[in-house]
Amino acid sequence: MTTMGDGSQSKARPMSDKAYETLRDAIVSCELAPGTWIKAAELSESLGLGRTPTMQALQRLEAAGFARPVKRKGWQVTPMTLQNVHDILEAFELTAPSLVVLIIRNATDEQIATFAELVTASSPADRSASALSPDLMKAAPIRYLVQMCGNPVMTEMTLPLATHVERVFRFGLLHDNFLDRVHVRWRSAFLEALAARDEKRAREALLKVIHVGAAELHRILQGAESIRSVPLNVERAS
């Protein structure tokens, strides 16, 4: 019986991983919008999983800040607040210069070229609704930026933050075009400096990208229906 139990646990773990990754990607791409309600039973059925791996996935999402249990209502995709968006981008602004230093030291030319392709693909010039394909919305240039720094400790520490930044930017893209000429100019300057391995210029350009993007995102998110200016006052499930 012990052997059967161990085997059952080893199978449950990968299933919960798959459920977690599927839900996280849907939340980050805003396929599951901020504030969306999730019923564990319906989710379990749609994923074709049992209750245990489904609940494990939801609990991991809660720990990562992407979902929360609400008493008598089920689970909710964490709503965005203007304060929360500010905190995420402020933390990324403080982290970004150190990432640039590590990338210039450790990333290969191929990785830098791939990152440039991801950035360009995820921010198309054509901003029509048809341009925002599911594949585009699931592109993850910011997470790739973190992963190519070549320092596993830095990657582990900053990847959760990068995932939240990705979600914020995807939400902004769904509601308006914040990629104005100034933003695109600094983005191009950052990519050029990165390719040239010019640490000083790359740091300066990336900070400009963050500043300009943050200002535009704040404008967009103030008018978005899915965002809350203050957190909802809900009773958490025990």
Side-chain angles (χ1 to χ4, degrees), residues 20-207:
Y20 169 75
E21 290 167 4
T22 299
L23 288 168
R24 181 202 60 198
D25 290 347
I27 292 170
V28 173
S29 68
C30 294
E31 182 180 343
L32 286 175
T36 299
W37 290 99
I38 302 172
K39 292 185 178 180
E42 293 178 0
L43 178 62
S44 179
E45 183 178 352
S46 67
L47 292 173
L49 297 175
R51 175 176 172 79
T52 298
T54 300
M55 290 304 298
Q56 288 173 344
L58 287 169
Q59 288 162 0
R60 287 179 62 186
L61 287 169
E62 180 188 11
F66 290 115
R68 60 185 185 178
V70 179
K71 194 171 184 179
R72 292 186 293 274
K73 289 189 177 183
W75 289 80
Q76 185 185 40
V77 176
T78 305
M80 290 187 187
T81 69
L82 292 174
Q83 183 62 50
N84 179 245
V85 170
H86 172 270
D87 292 344
I88 289 169
L89 295 180
E90 183 179 57
F92 187 58
E93 179 183 346
L94 293 172
T95 306
S98 298
L99 279 172
V100 169
V101 172
L102 290 171
I103 289 165
I104 288 177
R105 291 178 184 173
N106 301 326
T108 65
D109 291 342
E110 183 180 2
Q111 286 175 319
I112 291 175
T114 299
F115 170 69
E117 291 173 3
L118 282 172
V119 169
T120 303
S122 64
S123 307
D126 179 7
R127 285 290 292 110
S128 63
S130 60
L132 297 179
S133 67
D135 287 342
L136 183 153
M137 292 303 289
K138 290 180 181 178
I142 300 173
R143 279 176 277 176
Y144 187 82
L145 181 75
V146 170
Q147 290 169 325
M148 69 191 229
C149 77
N151 184 310
V153 175
M154 185 67 158
T155 297
E156 184 177 0
M157 289 174 59
T158 56
L159 197 55
L161 171 62
T163 308
H164 281 281
V165 173
E166 212 94 59
R167 182 188 182 216
V168 169
F169 273 81
R170 292 296 159 223
F171 190 79
L173 276 172
L174 280 172
H175 285 81
D176 201 349
N177 181 14
F178 64 88
L179 303 176
D180 62 9
R181 291 182 179 179
V182 177
H183 187 278
V184 172
R185 185 175 77 244
W186 282 112
R187 185 188 70 184
S188 298
F190 171 59
L191 294 176
E192 290 170 6
L194 209 58
R197 298 186 184 272
D198 187 327
E199 185 179 304
K200 181 179 179 181
R201 282 200 305 130
R203 287 202 314 265
E204 291 174 351
L206 181 54
L207 288 176

Side-chain angles (χ1 to χ4, degrees), residues 1-13:
M1 288 186 180
T2 302
T3 303
M4 290 179 63
D6 290 343
S8 175
Q9 289 176 3
S10 65
K11 291 180 181 179
R13 181 61 180 174

